[in-house]
Amino acid sequence: MNIALLGYGRMGKEIEKIARQRGHTIIHKISNDIESYDFSTVDVAIDFSIPSAAFQNISHCVKQQIPVISGTTGWLDRYAEIVSLCKSEKGAFMYASNFSLGVNIFFEMNAYLAKMMSQLEDYSVNIEEIHHTKKLDAPSGTAITLAEGIIEHTTYTDWKLEKGETVTEIPIVAKRIPEVPGTHQITYTSTIDTISIQHEAHNRQGFALGAVVAAEWIQDKEGVYTMKDVLNI
C-alpha cells in the first residue's frame, strides 16, 4: 500500500515507522502546499496535520478519489462539508479523535457507565485530560468525544473548558505537561463517594498502529466511517 502522510510531525514519524514495519511504502511526507504533489500512485492518505490545514488536505484527496484517514483535531466545524463531499465524489473518509484500540474500548466503557449513572441524580461528572505541551488544541478531541458520549446518554447538554457554567455542562480540565503521550479520566462524584475510569497512553505507538490499521481497512471502500466500523464494536 502506498501512503501519503499529510503532516510530518511526531505522529507522522511514528506512523511512518509502523507503516514500514507492516510492509507499506511512504510516497509523500507533506508539511506544506498539498497541491504541488503528485497523488497518482497514492493508495491512501493519513492526515495528522494541523487544524488550519486539515480541511484542505482532506478535501484535496477526496476529490482525487484517495481514501483519507484523519486524526487531526480542531477543524470539526467543517466536518459536515467533508461528509457531503465524500457523498458527491463517492470517496472514502474516516475521522477519529483517537485511533488507539485501547481508547476506543474506553469510549465504549464511558458510554456504558454514562447509561448507568444517568439514573443517579446525586452524582456530577467531570473530565480531565493531560497531554504534551506541543498539543495545539484544548480540550483534546478525545476528551470532546468522551463528553459527547456522556451527553448522548444523560441529561447533560454540553461541555465547557475548565468549569461548567450550568449543571447541564460537563467541565473539562485540560493540562499540558512536557513529554506526556495522553491521559483521560472520567470522574463521577457525590457526597458519598467517587467513581473514576481512566485511560493512560504509555507512548504514541498505539495511536500510530490504529491509524495504519484503519488505512488498511478502508481500501476499496466508499463512504464515511469510524473506528467502530474497523473494530466491529
Side-chain angles (χ1 to χ4, degrees):
M1 184 171 68
N2 292 338
I3 300 173
L5 297 177
L6 313 182
Y8 195 58
R10 291 184 174 192
M11 274 302 298
K13 291 179 174 65
E14 195 65 49
I15 289 168
E16 178 184 25
K17 185 191 306 180
I18 297 291
R20 292 190 189 281
Q21 289 172 355
R22 294 174 71 88
H24 304 306
T25 301
I26 305 301
I27 298 294
H28 299 309
K29 293 178 274 191
I30 301 173
S31 297
N32 50 15
D33 182 14
I34 190 173
E35 304 211 2
S36 64
Y37 290 83
D38 178 11
F39 276 74
S40 61
T41 61
V42 174
D43 296 315
V44 64
I46 302 179
D47 172 58
F48 275 85
S49 55
I50 58 175
S52 60
F55 180 82
Q56 180 186 8
N57 287 344
I58 296 163
S59 58
H60 180 78
C61 291
V62 170
K63 289 175 183 177
Q64 296 198 51
Q65 304 300 310
I66 306 296
V68 186
I69 303 298
S70 178
T72 304
T73 56
W75 66 276
L76 292 183
D77 55 327
R78 304 192 72 179
Y79 178 81
E81 294 178 59
I82 293 296
V83 172
S84 178
L85 183 65
C86 272
K87 290 179 180 178
S88 65
E89 298 289 338
K90 300 186 185 305
F93 174 66
M94 182 188 302
Y95 166 78
S97 59
N98 196 310
F99 282 95
S100 162
L101 173 60
V103 166
N104 281 276
I105 293 171
F106 190 60
F107 287 154
E108 296 303 301
M109 292 172 58
N110 172 60
Y112 187 72
L113 180 58
K115 290 176 188 178
M116 292 190 291
M117 299 305 293
S118 67
Q119 308 300 315
L120 305 173
E121 296 180 356
D122 292 339
Y123 288 85
S124 60
V125 67
N126 70 80
I127 300 172
E128 179 180 276
E129 57 99 340
I130 305 171
H131 280 89
H132 53 83
T133 52
K134 293 184 179 180
K135 185 168 180 60
L136 298 177
D137 55 322
S140 67
T142 301
I144 293 172
T145 299
L146 290 165
E148 290 171 344
I150 296 169
I151 290 166
E152 182 179 356
H153 299 292
T154 64
T155 57
Y156 286 96
T157 60
D158 204 353
W159 58 267
K160 189 78 173 181
L161 188 60
E162 301 304 336
K163 186 177 180 180
E165 295 177 357
T166 71
V167 294
T168 62
E169 290 181 328
I170 302 168
I172 301 178
V173 176
K175 298 180 179 179
R176 297 292 174 262
I177 299 173
E179 303 304 321
V180 176
T183 298
H184 295 84
Q185 184 177 65
I186 312 294
T187 303
Y188 289 86
T189 305
S190 75
T191 56
I192 297 172
D193 58 14
T194 296
I195 302 170
S196 294
I197 57 173
Q198 176 176 298
H199 178 274
E200 180 180 355
H202 296 157
N203 52 56
R204 294 181 178 81
Q205 292 178 10
F207 311 131
L209 176 61
V212 175
V213 168
E216 294 168 346
W217 181 90
I218 207 171
Q219 291 295 291
D220 302 318
K221 290 182 173 64
E222 177 185 323
V224 178
Y225 301 97
T226 70
M227 280 299 285
K228 292 183 72 170
D229 298 306
V230 178
L231 300 173
N232 195 28
I233 58 176

